[in-house]
């Protein structure tokens, strides 16, 4: 009978030591390397050169556009970026930096001086900073 009691006492001691080791694993230092990536803004309803953007918190981003096609460098085509219907700047530019919070609408319009001229596509890119 003494052997059974000794075995039970040894098992209890081992279980107690294992529980103590696991409790010690709840403390320490964790080193994190990398980044948590989540877009700060959401976009919806892209139609006819307009894109709706919603940012919960104030967010900064770059908006760039690039003309595509053979006549991309010709001055007869004018590209205008608008924010909430208002043109951004009085000169054509290919990049803008802005920040917003809440709702906004960005628009990109392409106009050509000649009525029969081919207006090639324009690519708009939004990059979060």
């Amino acid at each position: 009978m003494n052997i059974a009691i000794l075995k039970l006492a040894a098992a209890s001691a081992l279980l107690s030591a294992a529980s103590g080791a696991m409790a010690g694993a709840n403390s320490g230092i964790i080193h994190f390397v990398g980044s948590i990536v989540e877009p700060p803004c959401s976009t919806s309803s892209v139609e006819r050169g307009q894109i709706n953007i919603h940012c919960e918190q104030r967010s900064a981003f770059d908006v760039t556009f690039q003309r595509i096609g053979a006549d991309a460098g010709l001055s007869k085509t004018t590209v205008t970026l608008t924010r909430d219907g208002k043109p951004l700047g009085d000169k054509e530019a290919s990049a803008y930096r802005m920040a917003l919070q809440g709702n906004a609408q960005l628009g990109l319009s392409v106009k050509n001086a000649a009525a029969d001229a081919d207006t090639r596509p324009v690519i708009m890119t939004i990059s979060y900073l």
Side-chain angles (χ1 to χ4, degrees), residues 66-128:
Q66 175 185 358
R67 296 187 219 192
I68 305 297
D71 65 344
L74 301 178
S75 61
K76 64 183 177 180
T77 303
T78 305
V79 180
T80 307
L81 183 67
T82 60
R83 179 173 170 181
D84 296 326
K86 298 174 186 162
L88 297 177
D90 57 353
K91 293 183 191 175
E92 182 180 339
S94 61
Y96 295 88
R97 181 164 285 179
M98 62 183 75
L100 67 89
Q101 181 174 2
N103 295 314
Q105 186 179 62
L106 295 180
L108 193 62
S109 65
V110 181
K111 296 194 184 204
N112 203 311
D116 62 340
D118 182 19
T119 305
R120 300 291 174 139
V122 175
I123 296 175
M124 182 165 95
T125 306
I126 299 173
S127 305
Y128 300 108

Side-chain angles (χ1 to χ4, degrees), residues 4 7-8 33 39 42 46 51 67 117 127:
K7 285 183 181 180
L8 183 60
V33 177
S42 60
V46 179
I51 183 169
R67 296 187 219 192
S127 305

